[in-house]
Amino acid sequence: MKRLLLLALLASPAVYANTCTVTPPTVAFGDYDPTNSVVTKRTFTINVRCLTAIPFIVTAGPGLNGNYSDRKMTNENAPTSTKMQYQLCRDAGGSYCQYIFGLWDGIGGVASTPNTNTPVLFYAYIPANQVGLQEGTYRDTVQITVTP
């Protein structure tokens, strides 16, 4: 089994004129078997903390190695090798991502209690049967932004 791992998410430094902050997770898929015919799917939480009760939208950028509809992770040991496809989603659909996180809109929420984390769920998918990938740790960085 090849060890294929990790997607890092970074928060935008200027969020809501300093009234809200976002704590994105490190998205770790764990080991990936490129011969497995089942999609690898995980659920993750972004925490938004606002000074006042306020509605917000969380959006995700395209990442460093692809675009919104074709996100890719790079093997940190062989950056010019084949890239691993993945996707961030707003839905927990079956074997594919129906609503891409960041493509058309974000995920809405309301910080109803001041200075308390408001969880925002999103889902990450790695398509099955990505043969030809070299062993290693795969990464991408996606900017997360919170807006009114």
Side-chain angles (χ1 to χ4, degrees):
M1 177 181 301
K2 295 183 178 188
R3 183 169 171 79
L4 311 173
L5 202 58
L6 205 55
L7 160 71
L9 298 176
L10 300 178
S12 171
V15 177
Y16 242 148
N18 296 322
T19 61
C20 293
T21 57
V22 60
T23 306
T26 297
V27 177
F29 289 98
D31 291 345
Y32 173 79
D33 180 355
T35 62
N36 191 344
S37 61
V38 178
V39 170
T40 301
K41 184 170 44 172
R42 302 284 187 271
T43 302
F44 297 97
T45 303
I46 297 169
N47 286 308
V48 178
R49 180 183 291 249
C50 300
L51 295 176
T52 60
I54 190 168
F56 58 83
I57 300 287
V58 179
T59 57
L64 299 177
N65 304 301
N67 56 54
Y68 287 105
S69 59
D70 188 25
R71 289 183 167 114
K72 296 180 180 179
M73 290 185 274
T74 301
N75 185 336
E76 64 183 27
N77 301 323
T80 59
S81 70
T82 303
K83 294 179 178 12
M84 177 188 284
Q85 294 178 314
Y86 76 97
Q87 194 50 265
L88 302 178
C89 309
R90 296 184 299 131
D91 62 308
S95 60
Y96 69 96
C97 180
Q98 187 173 358
Y99 300 103
I100 296 172
F101 184 18
L103 183 57
W104 295 287
D105 56 7
I107 301 171
V110 176
S112 56
T113 305
N115 267 335
T116 302
N117 283 338
T118 301
V120 177
L121 292 178
F122 73 98
Y123 307 89
Y125 288 67
I126 297 179
N129 299 317
Q130 292 191 57
V131 295
L133 295 172
Q134 294 181 348
E135 190 170 329
T137 299
Y138 285 74
R139 295 182 186 270
D140 192 15
T141 301
V142 175
Q143 182 168 326
I144 302 296
T145 305
V146 177
T147 56

